[in-house]
Amino acid sequence: MNHLARRVILAPILVALGCLLTVGAALAEPPPSAQASRFATEGRADLTRLRLANGHGAKATISVLCRVASQPTPQQASPGLFPPSGPPSSPVDPLILKVIEIPTAQRGTLRLRFETDDRQIRESVSLAAAFLTRVVASAALPTSEIRVLALNRGENRAFSAGLGSFASVHLQPGVLDVGTAVHELAHHIEGDHRPILENSRRFLARRARGSSPERLRDLTGQDYGVNEIAYRANWTTRGGSHYSGKFYGPSLKYAIATELISMGLERLHRESTAFFREDSDYFLFLLLTLQAG
């Protein structure tokens, strides 16, 4: 076994073992939601009593995730997750999804109002919404109705906008892209739940390790706006994107939104096994923030 193969197999196990180190004795056991916040802040938590929305203990769930992610052969996409036209290029690993998904009876719903007849947009958003209800606890799902629109002529970059009754997502017409639909819908998770936004800010600050934000165009070499900034952190060395470090606002302390939840859920959808293998810290932040009650 070469060095790379050993790293791929052992990394999630070592990270998971690190996650299971407790913070230390406390006078009283904090509620699960507080434990999830502590993990998001410090990268560790007492997981022995923490339960996820699927009813399973977090410690046991992480142990199973390690076994699944250590399998050398990629799993095939499970039927029913993708449209008749075929699965995306990087489908959700059905074994990973089986470990973390929420039982049908306990799933919430997303309220959508389609303001476009574009078939590809409608299909993308419907599949994205179904995916989110499988992995995000009902209490963390967007509470507002979300308008779904097509981008105007000349626009080529999907985006989400607004809060409450003004919440919307805008997608490229004629393009079937479930991952992008997941990303844009997920912005409203953070927008509708301030504790989740606060967790995102703390987690981003921890990953940034005191560094200063930089322009995305300098980090990526791509033509992002001059006002688009992000923390470099270690996203790309863990298989991710500099875009995960982006936030919106004058500073991280006063950020009104981040890209952490959206980028994380999109990556969970596109490459769930690689996500856990390469950045278990981010994966577990996402799982505990969105599923711990």
Side-chain angles (χ1 to χ4, degrees), residues 140-213:
L141 287 170
T143 56
S144 55
E145 182 180 62
I146 301 173
R147 299 164 58 221
V148 180
L149 302 92
L151 290 173
N152 296 320
R153 185 181 299 274
E155 296 178 325
N156 57 14
R157 186 174 169 186
F159 66 94
S160 65
L163 295 172
S165 59
F166 298 99
S168 62
V169 296
H170 305 249
L171 301 170
Q172 186 75 35
V175 177
L176 181 65
D177 188 347
V178 182
T180 296
V182 167
H183 180 114
E184 300 306 338
L185 288 173
H187 270 298
H188 295 291
I189 294 174
E190 215 181 58
D192 280 5
H193 301 284
R194 188 170 183 83
I196 293 178
L197 172 60
E198 292 172 351
N199 272 4
S200 294
R201 288 194 297 226
R202 289 193 290 267
F203 182 78
L204 184 53
R206 175 167 69 78
R207 288 289 286 261
R209 299 181 183 278
S211 64
S212 298

Side-chain angles (χ1 to χ4, degrees), residues 54-118:
N54 59 14
H56 301 305
K59 182 178 179 180
T61 298
I62 292 169
S63 177
V64 175
L65 283 170
C66 288
R67 291 201 299 271
V68 171
S70 66
Q71 296 181 12
T73 305
Q75 304 298 316
Q76 297 298 313
S78 58
L81 285 178
F82 308 110
S85 55
S89 57
S90 301
V92 183
D93 184 329
L95 294 184
I96 291 284
L97 184 61
K98 185 177 180 180
V99 174
I100 66 174
E101 72 177 348
I102 296 166
T104 303
Q106 298 175 25
R107 295 176 192 170
T109 59
L110 279 84
R111 294 187 295 131
L112 304 171
R113 186 166 83 239
F114 289 97
E115 298 185 7
T116 175
D117 293 326
D118 186 276

Side-chain angles (χ1 to χ4, degrees), residues 251-264:
S251 66
L252 182 56
K253 180 180 179 179
Y254 297 106
I256 59 173
T258 77
E259 288 286 345
L260 278 172
I261 300 299
S262 285
M263 288 294 288

Side-chain angles (χ1 to χ4, degrees), residues 16 50 63 75 83 101-102 108 111 118 125 131 134 144 155 158 172 192 196 202 214 219 222 228 232 236 247 279 281:
L50 184 62
S63 177
Q75 304 298 316
E101 72 177 348
I102 296 166
R111 294 187 295 131
D118 186 276
V125 171
F131 170 74
R134 295 180 76 173
S144 55
E155 296 178 325
Q172 186 75 35
D192 280 5
I196 293 178
R202 289 193 290 267
E214 303 174 53
L219 290 171
Q222 300 178 34
E228 294 186 81
R232 179 187 298 267
T236 58
F247 64 91
D279 199 344
D281 183 43

